[in-house]
Every structure is written in structure tokens, then in C-alpha cells.
Amino acid sequence: MPLSNESEHEIAIESLRDKPDEIVELEEFAAAAKAEDIHFFVKSASYDGASGCCFEFRRGLDSSEDVALRLLEIATRTITCFDWFGVTHYGRGATEDKPV
């Protein structure tokens, strides 16, 4: 059964591979978004096992909006691999020559 919950930061999080380290990353993302008071733009964040983390936004967020850019910065700090508006990004733990 996948690890999931509604985080204390009001973002639904889930790891379909039942990996606790993915939940840690998701919780850190949610906490950082809450600290910047932009958590309400994100409905859910989940690791699906194939493409990394995927986000679902609460409204039609455009990738060029300031809040989207702030969320991208948070995701880059806290999430290892994630899809951002159709583009795969490598963040936490990745280097230029070694994307995790």
C-alpha cells in the first residue's frame, strides 16, 4: 500500500513505491511551501516511481508566474527528481555531471 497522507502543511503527499525517503522529501517541500505561505497553490505532490515527483496545482498555475518560480526553487532544494510543467528537473543531491 502506498505511503500517503495529507501533510500537516495542507498538501496531499504520496509515495507509490512506499519509500520513506520520498516522503521525507515531500514533507520538506510542503514545509518550505507553507513557510513561504504559498502551499495553497499545490494540491498534491507524489512520487510515482517512474518519472520522479509530480505536482498537481490547485488552480491553473502558469510556469512563468512568480509563485510558480518560487515553488520551482523550493522543489529544486527539496526534491531529487521531478516533473515541472512537462520538463524533468534534478534537484536535491544532483550535480551538473551526475543527475541523481
Side-chain angles (χ1 to χ4, degrees), residues 3-4 6 17-18 20-21 24 28-29 32 43 45 48 51 56-57 60 64 66 69 73 75 82 89-90 93 95 98:
L3 293 174
S4 65
E6 178 81 16
R17 296 187 298 178
D18 296 329
D21 58 319
V24 168
E28 289 178 5
F29 170 83
K43 183 176 182 180
D48 67 6
S51 61
E56 180 182 2
F57 301 106
S64 64
D66 285 343
L69 297 174
E73 181 181 303
F82 58 96
H89 286 260
Y90 298 96
T95 62
K98 184 182 140 208

Side-chain angles (χ1 to χ4, degrees), residues 64-99:
S64 64
E65 289 183 56
D66 285 343
V67 69
L69 297 174
R70 288 169 55 203
L71 287 165
L72 174 59
E73 181 181 303
I74 291 168
T76 301
R77 281 194 328 260
T78 59
I79 305 292
T80 301
C81 178
F82 58 96
D83 177 82
W84 193 259
F85 293 95
V87 177
T88 300
H89 286 260
Y90 298 96
R92 176 187 188 139
T95 62
E96 284 185 32
D97 60 336
K98 184 182 140 208

